[in-house]
Amino acid sequence: FYLALQNACSAFIQGGAMDNAKRCYFSLHDKVPNEAQRSRDLGAVFDWANDRAAAIDYYKKAIELGHKEAGAMRNRLRVIEAGQ
C-alpha cells in the first residue's frame, strides 16, 4: 500500500496536479509523521507550487531529521530566503 501511494504521489507531480500531490503526500506523511523523506517531498511539492513558507518549514524538518540531501535543501533554503 505504501509504495503504491508513493507512486501515485509521484504521478500527480509528473502530471502537474499539485493539489492532488499535496493531499497524497500528506496521506503518506500522516502514516509516518517523522520520516525525513516525506518531509523533503512535502517541501518540494510546496516549493513547486510556489508556497515558499510551507516549503521552508518542511525542508527544515527534513534537515533536522537527517535527510541525506540536507546539503541540497540548505542551498535551496538560501535561495528561497534570499528571494523573500
Side-chain angles (χ1 to χ4, degrees):
F1 173 76
Y2 185 79
L3 184 58
L5 189 54
Q6 190 174 27
N7 289 338
C9 295
S10 295
F12 287 133
I13 290 171
Q14 291 171 0
M18 291 305 171
D19 286 339
N20 288 334
K22 287 179 200 176
R23 283 191 291 277
C24 188
Y25 276 110
F26 273 119
S27 179
L28 278 176
H29 193 69
D30 290 343
K31 291 172 183 21
V32 187
N34 293 321
E35 213 267 329
Q37 185 64 40
R38 295 287 72 76
S39 294
R40 181 253 173 235
D41 292 343
L42 283 165
V45 169
F46 280 101
D47 197 355
W48 295 327
N50 293 316
D51 184 345
R52 302 296 194 245
I56 288 169
D57 291 341
Y58 282 106
Y59 283 147
K60 286 182 177 179
K61 183 173 183 180
I63 292 166
E64 289 172 12
L65 292 170
H67 192 277
K68 64 184 178 184
E69 297 174 6
M73 284 183 278
R74 282 188 197 95
N75 290 338
R76 182 62 186 142
L77 285 170
R78 281 192 283 276
V79 170
I80 292 170
E81 290 169 343
Q84 289 185 350

